Amino acid sequence: MDLKKYIQEHKNEFDDKKLSTDFDAVFKTALKNKLHQKPTKNKVVYLKYIALAACLILGIFIGVKIINQQEIKKELMANLSADSAGVRLEGIYSFSDDYTKEDTQIIKTLIKILHTDSNGNVKIATIDALLKFPTNELIRKNLIIALEKETLPLVQIKLITSVSFLREKRAQKSLKKIMENKQTFPIVKSNAALAMNNLKQ
Amino acid sequence: MNEQKLIQDCKNNVYSAQMQVYNLYKNRLYNSSFRILKNREDAQDAVQESFIKGFEKIHQIKEEKHLGSWLNRIVINYSLDVLRKRKKIVWLEETYLLETEIEEVVNEDDITFSVDKIKACIHQLKEKYRIVLVLYLIENYTHKEIGHLLKINESTVRNQYRRGKNMLLEQLNKNH
């Protein structure tokens, strides 16, 4: 008889080995893990809810903080335009203590105070507050403008030392005018001369 | 349950249908793999991986194809890959040998076959002969299909088969 023919006729007898029931259990687990992964979906949904809740809480927290900051700014602006010099001073000091970021609206208000306030102490405190942002071009330009227009000696000296501290060479023209003005106090002139020397170096 | 319904359910990833298919063909696949790998654990791994791969790719099966044969081919391919990776089996091309040089030594008609003896003798053959004989005689592949599987010429397959068959018949004749 032909060997192949014999084997094909008895094919089932060649498949006599049997897998154990232990292996069946192993296979069931493998099949479930590979093709029927349900728990992961639930885990993902669970994590999504946690992330959503965290975002919500963070949003509320940020919202409350923003509202607080807006309230503080409102109070500050009110103080800066108060009739009382003492209240205006208080506002300028609180700005100096609490603010680290440049707020354009507040800076413009301070610059206005620098040019228009009737109180010398308020102006001096304003200059100190503005010097917190030495790289701000608006502040630098307005200090030079104020230097040219200012008549109160103590404020002049403060402005002179400020432009010297900032090494603002553009202030040399204003300093020269101060030195040449016959009405300038001698102590102011000598401060201007010192600043001029400093800027020329 | 008819096979078409079973295939459709497997395509829909129905767990019970997949387990039914597994129970129907697990031993067939196991024996096919064991004949190639000669190792129980390796053959079990091959069965597991082949069923899962089969279920993942079941959308590729044409409706009219026999599911068992399709799965069996997957396990045979997998088992041959394992053999290649572990033992680095290389079937050398032997195109310089003329077919007429390989003569049949023992006449098949003189032997009384038994399943157990054939299994035992095939099991003892060198791998390169055993694989070709198993694929041709038991799994019913053609020489051309075997050449494609093993990446060798059909003529090489025929030569390997003749030599392997001669050895098998010699052994069967000794034990006769």
Side-chain angles (χ1 to χ4, degrees):
Chain A
M1 187 190 215
D2 178 65
L3 177 61
K4 182 162 183 177
K5 191 179 172 187
Y6 176 85
I7 289 171
Q8 288 301 310
E9 283 176 2
H10 297 84
K11 177 70 167 57
N12 288 340
E13 292 172 64
F14 281 86
D15 290 345
D16 61 329
K17 291 193 182 329
K18 305 261 183 269
L19 283 167
S20 66
T21 48
D22 288 345
F23 180 77
D24 289 347
V26 167
F27 178 76
K28 276 184 187 173
T29 306
L31 181 63
K32 281 178 184 170
N33 285 343
K34 292 264 172 91
L35 300 181
H36 301 275
Q37 282 277 5
K38 281 179 189 175
T40 307
K41 274 189 186 172
N42 284 343
K43 203 175 174 184
V44 168
V45 168
Y46 181 64
L47 284 171
K48 272 185 185 172
Y49 278 128
I50 289 181
L52 198 66
C55 285
L56 207 63
I57 291 167
L58 193 66
I60 291 168
F61 178 74
I62 290 169
V64 166
K65 198 168 179 194
I66 289 170
I67 290 168
N68 271 351
Q69 282 175 347
Q70 284 173 346
E71 288 293 323
I72 291 168
K73 185 176 172 181
K74 204 173 164 186
E75 196 184 332
L76 171 67
M77 293 299 285
N79 288 345
L80 291 176
S81 45
D83 292 333
S84 162
V87 172
R88 295 200 300 278
L89 262 176
E90 224 178 86
I92 294 165
Y93 290 147
S94 75
F95 170 80
S96 291
D97 292 341
D98 298 337
Y99 276 75
T100 51
K101 283 185 183 175
E102 294 180 24
D103 185 308
T104 308
Q105 192 186 8
I106 298 174
I107 286 171
K108 281 182 178 174
T109 306
L110 289 172
I111 288 171
K112 190 179 171 189
I113 291 172
L114 173 66
H115 292 311
T116 61
D117 205 288
S118 56
N119 190 298
N121 288 333
V122 170
K123 282 188 174 181
I124 289 169
T126 301
I127 294 165
D128 277 331
L130 290 170
L131 285 176
K132 279 185 73 171
F133 310 105
T135 57
N136 188 304
E137 184 58 23
L138 187 66
I139 291 172
R140 293 174 81 101
K141 274 185 183 167
N142 277 279
L143 285 171
I144 296 169
I145 294 168
L147 180 65
E148 215 166 301
K149 293 185 332 187
E150 186 57 52
T151 54
L152 288 171
L154 285 175
V155 181
Q156 281 178 310
I157 291 170
K158 185 69 184 176
L159 283 165
I160 289 166
T161 54
S162 299
V163 298
S164 177
F165 167 74
L166 293 174
R167 300 202 68 80
E168 187 48 79
K169 289 185 192 288
R170 291 175 294 179
Q172 289 178 76
K173 197 176 164 187
S174 304
L175 288 170
K176 195 179 172 194
K177 274 189 182 173
I178 288 171
M179 283 157 63
E180 288 168 356
N181 189 343
K182 290 175 183 176
Q183 291 175 356
T184 307
F185 273 56
I187 190 160
V188 176
K189 280 189 184 180
S190 59
N191 271 276
L194 272 171
M196 198 70 143
N197 276 341
N198 197 31
L199 290 176
K200 278 180 183 172
Q201 286 173 8
Chain B
M1 186 185 270
N2 74 50
E3 195 159 278
Q4 280 194 356
K5 175 79 169 64
L6 207 55
I7 292 169
Q8 191 53 51
D9 283 349
C10 286
K11 284 181 180 179
N12 293 331
N13 203 34
V14 175
Y15 175 76
S16 58
Q18 289 166 341
M19 284 308 299
Q20 200 171 334
V21 166
Y22 167 76
N23 285 319
L24 274 171
Y25 300 115
K26 62 182 179 182
N27 291 325
R28 178 180 171 181
L29 264 64
Y30 179 57
N31 280 279
S32 291
S33 181
F34 189 87
R35 280 190 283 269
I36 294 170
L37 295 173
K38 286 175 70 173
N39 177 283
R40 196 178 70 143
E41 284 75 27
D42 289 346
Q44 284 175 352
D45 282 346
V47 167
Q48 180 179 300
E49 293 302 319
S50 299
F51 268 114
I52 287 170
K53 187 175 180 181
F55 293 144
E56 285 172 342
K57 291 183 183 298
I58 201 156
H59 57 277
Q60 294 175 5
I61 196 173
K62 289 177 186 173
E63 299 291 338
E64 62 275 17
K65 272 200 175 175
H66 196 278
L67 182 57
S69 300
W70 185 74
L71 288 166
N72 207 48
R73 284 184 177 245
I74 293 175
V75 84
I76 287 170
N77 284 341
Y78 185 93
S79 303
L80 289 172
D81 280 343
V82 169
L83 214 58
R84 277 191 200 99
K85 281 174 194 168
R86 287 196 186 163
K87 296 194 178 184
K88 298 180 184 172
I89 297 294
V90 176
W91 276 269
L92 294 173
E93 291 288 357
E94 296 178 357
T95 49
Y96 59 87
L97 283 174
L98 297 170
E99 286 185 15
T100 50
E101 285 190 33
I102 303 164
E103 294 172 2
E104 203 168 278
V105 172
V106 179
N107 190 347
E108 286 177 62
D109 295 329
D110 297 335
I111 302 169
T112 306
F113 296 128
S114 89
V115 169
D116 289 338
K117 282 180 189 171
I118 292 171
K119 282 197 301 189
C121 292
I122 286 179
H123 194 78
Q124 285 172 17
L125 287 173
K126 276 187 184 178
E127 211 138 56
K128 59 179 180 177
Y129 301 119
R130 186 181 88 250
I131 303 299
V132 172
L133 258 63
V134 159
L135 292 175
Y136 184 77
L137 293 171
I138 303 175
E139 303 298 343
N140 211 23
Y141 279 61
T142 65
H143 290 303
K144 188 177 176 181
E145 286 171 331
I146 295 169
H148 183 72
L149 260 180
L150 303 181
K151 297 179 180 41
I152 53 176
N153 285 338
E154 190 181 333
S155 56
T156 306
V157 175
R158 289 182 187 278
N159 290 337
Q160 297 284 22
Y161 170 70
R162 286 201 187 91
R163 285 203 195 88
K165 187 182 172 187
N166 278 342
M167 290 178 193
L168 175 62
L169 290 173
E170 276 178 21
Q171 286 301 313
L172 289 170
N173 200 33
K174 273 184 195 174
N175 299 330
H176 180 57

